Amino acid sequence: MKIGLVLEGGAMRGIYSAGVLDTFMDEGISFDGIMGVSAGALFGVNILSNQKGRVLRYNKKFNADPNYMGLRPLLSEGNIVNTEYAYVRVPRELDVFDDETFKNSNIPFYSVVTNVKTGKAEYILMKSIFDQMDTLRASGSMPFLSKPVRIGNEDYLDGAIADSIPFQKMLDMGYDKLVVVLTKWDGYVKKPMSKPLTNVFYRKKYPKLADAIIYRHEMYNAQMEALRKLESEGKIFVIQPSKYLKMGRIEKDSENIQNMYNLGTGDARNKMKALKSFLNKAQE
């Protein structure tokens, strides 16, 4: 029986997932495959490089730098996060990502991206983070705040636009049971994105992307309904924030970042007994 892990995005709310994953590392919990969306992909790869604490460390260290994230890179290059700083200097020099351990894990990791031409999700197998850094960057490139990222002959943005919580894709790929880490609290309902703003940004050049953004809230809320049904049937185990914490999409405050991480580690520990029971039953 194959057990998969699905990691929702949510910009800097992904720090919650980092806390959950670090707890998984402490407990020696592993999976047969992992799929991450947006921040879920960007932060999730660290579980396969076995780098506990790295996500918390580099976000607390670099997020407050105006050259790293915020208005300055948005105005200078059209991306809310500085491409060279975040995707080259940090993982290769300033807080080195262990790509060799990632590659040697032999556990498939898929990053979800949205094709801006088709408005559809694509699921890319990550064989090397350094060789496929643009795929990670695309998965986390938020609409309106990022330029599309070219991969091969196609352009991509944030995978969450087209498939925010890709549990159905993993089930379709043959995974029998799933653990899903959400970054939104119980009872969260996604609201519609501004239709006029979306049309101004994308309608003329990327009409199918514009439709995906406009109707994303319907997709997300339907996914949550389906997810709860599968959870009640014992096919999916969900970990999500046990309470609401205020968190900016480009959060710079190190205390807020730490608090969100602590919520993740605490929730994971509180659910550990039930999670292990779920995993053990899945292997029977």
Side-chain angles (χ1 to χ4, degrees):
M1 183 170 285
K2 293 171 64 178
I3 310 299
L5 173 66
V6 176
L7 303 170
E8 185 185 11
M12 284 306 298
R13 288 191 176 279
I15 291 291
Y16 175 85
S17 299
V20 173
L21 297 184
D22 282 357
T23 305
F24 287 176
M25 282 188 256
D26 282 341
E27 296 288 334
I29 292 175
S30 62
F31 300 89
D32 298 304
I34 303 172
M35 186 172 287
V37 185
S38 194
L42 289 166
F43 298 163
V45 295
N46 292 272
I47 192 173
L48 296 188
S49 66
N50 198 32
Q51 289 179 280
K52 178 188 172 184
R54 179 175 178 271
V55 173
L56 177 66
R57 182 173 63 242
Y58 76 73
N59 278 283
K60 289 179 70 173
K61 185 172 183 180
F62 299 116
N63 282 18
D65 185 342
N67 295 305
Y68 179 79
M69 182 172 67
L71 187 61
R72 192 172 295 178
L74 183 63
L75 292 176
S76 64
E77 65 169 86
N79 292 311
I80 196 71
V81 176
N82 183 297
T83 300
E84 175 73 18
Y85 196 157
Y87 295 101
V88 178
R89 291 186 61 208
V90 169
R92 290 183 178 272
E93 302 169 13
L94 302 178
D95 198 323
V96 177
F97 179 79
D98 188 349
D99 199 36
E100 288 304 309
T101 296
F102 175 88
K103 290 188 290 186
N104 291 332
S105 71
N106 295 317
I107 297 172
F109 189 104
Y110 299 88
S111 294
V112 186
V113 294
T114 298
N115 186 308
V116 298
K117 182 172 64 177
T118 67
K120 301 293 186 181
E122 296 181 17
Y123 310 86
I124 300 177
L125 177 63
M126 304 297 293
K127 297 181 179 179
S128 164
I129 299 307
F130 287 160
D131 292 346
Q132 297 173 275
M133 190 62 76
D134 281 346
T135 300
L136 273 190
R137 185 162 68 90
S139 187
S141 290
M142 295 181 285
F144 310 109
L145 299 175
S146 309
K147 292 180 178 179
V149 178
R150 175 57 60 101
I151 304 172
N153 297 318
E154 301 287 341
D155 292 326
Y156 297 90
L157 279 173
D158 191 338
I161 296 168
D163 195 350
S164 296
I165 316 170
F167 60 89
Q168 189 58 56
K169 178 64 177 180
M170 288 211 85
L171 293 172
D172 292 344
M173 291 169 64
Y175 289 87
D176 303 285
K177 297 288 183 74
L178 302 177
V179 175
V180 177
V181 181
L182 302 176
T183 59
K184 310 297 194 303
W185 54 100
D186 190 22
Y188 172 82
V189 176
K190 183 167 287 296
K191 297 179 180 179
M193 180 63 70
S194 167
K195 189 172 182 178
L197 178 66
T198 302
N199 285 333
V200 167
F201 267 80
Y202 297 117
R203 176 61 61 188
K204 184 175 181 180
K205 191 172 184 180
Y206 305 120
K208 292 182 179 179
L209 176 69
D211 286 340
I213 294 172
I214 288 170
Y215 296 107
R216 183 190 168 200
H217 68 290
E218 295 183 3
M219 175 268 294
Y220 183 93
N221 294 331
Q223 282 188 326
M224 283 302 305
E225 184 176 347
L227 181 68
R228 292 307 184 194
K229 183 175 185 297
L230 290 168
E231 182 185 25
S232 69
E233 294 171 355
K235 296 178 181 178
I236 288 180
F237 188 94
V238 175
I239 298 177
Q240 69 182 128
S242 56
K243 63 181 179 180
Y244 169 79
L245 286 183
K246 186 176 180 180
M247 190 78 165
R249 293 185 66 79
I250 55 168
E251 184 63 60
K252 295 174 176 288
D253 187 278
S254 61
E255 183 176 354
N256 288 345
I257 292 170
Q258 184 70 56
N259 288 340
M260 183 62 78
Y261 175 86
N262 292 347
L263 183 63
T265 59
D267 286 351
R269 284 195 297 268
N270 289 338
K271 283 207 162 189
M272 190 55 58
K273 183 177 180 179
L275 173 62
K276 288 182 177 180
S277 176
F278 173 84
L279 296 174
N280 289 335
K281 287 180 182 178
Q283 297 297 342
E284 291 176 356

